[in-house]
Amino acid sequence: MDDTRQRNVLIVANRTAATPALVAEVRRRASEGLCRFTLLVPRAFWDADTEESAITLELAIPVLEEAAGGRVEGLIGAEDPFLAVTSALEADPYDEIIVSTLPARVSHWLHIDLPARVGRLGLPVTVVTAKKADRPLAPAR
């Protein structure tokens, strides 16, 4: 990688926006050279006023900024994650995309083949999948 040119990286995430796997990937990218990261959170269909998406950005950005060693921009996108990505790409030039998802058995984005669809837009795509809990989860009381 050419360390003299800043790479613009679009991160597409929602519930996985501050997971250890994504934080590690951002830290790795930042260690390889100059990067500008933008976190895109597609709005959930039940989140008409974007409050939940804004909370996701507010909580995730400081964690990602620490990993990136600098500022991370935040965007709230359309409900359809593919449309959210295409809109972001129309607004700003990006060099690559990181799609952060839940584990395969529960990931809506993997079920709709979001990484492959985004890949057809012509930019390199990296998929980061959050690890599932390695212990049984107790029901709420």
Side-chain angles (χ1 to χ4, degrees), residues 57-130:
L57 286 174
E58 188 176 325
L59 295 173
I61 283 179
V63 175
L64 295 175
E65 284 181 337
E66 183 179 333
R71 185 169 169 80
V72 173
E73 298 296 324
L75 295 173
I76 296 174
E79 181 182 311
D80 178 314
F82 183 75
L83 290 178
V85 170
T86 57
S87 294
L89 295 178
E90 289 169 3
D92 279 307
Y94 290 95
D95 299 301
E96 61 183 297
I97 301 170
I98 297 172
V99 177
S100 179
T101 72
L102 293 167
R105 66 180 177 77
V106 293
S107 172
H108 172 68
W109 290 1
L110 292 179
H111 292 168
I112 64 168
D113 207 14
L114 183 65
R117 292 171 64 203
V118 168
R120 289 193 281 276
L121 297 173
L123 294 175
V125 176
T126 301
V127 178
V128 176
T129 304

Side-chain angles (χ1 to χ4, degrees), residues 6-30:
Q6 178 175 276
R7 295 190 53 81
N8 292 323
V9 181
L10 180 64
I11 302 167
V12 187
N14 193 342
R15 291 189 284 173
T16 61
T19 53
L22 180 57
V23 170
E25 183 65 19
V26 168
R27 183 172 287 118
R28 184 183 73 75
R29 291 295 168 85

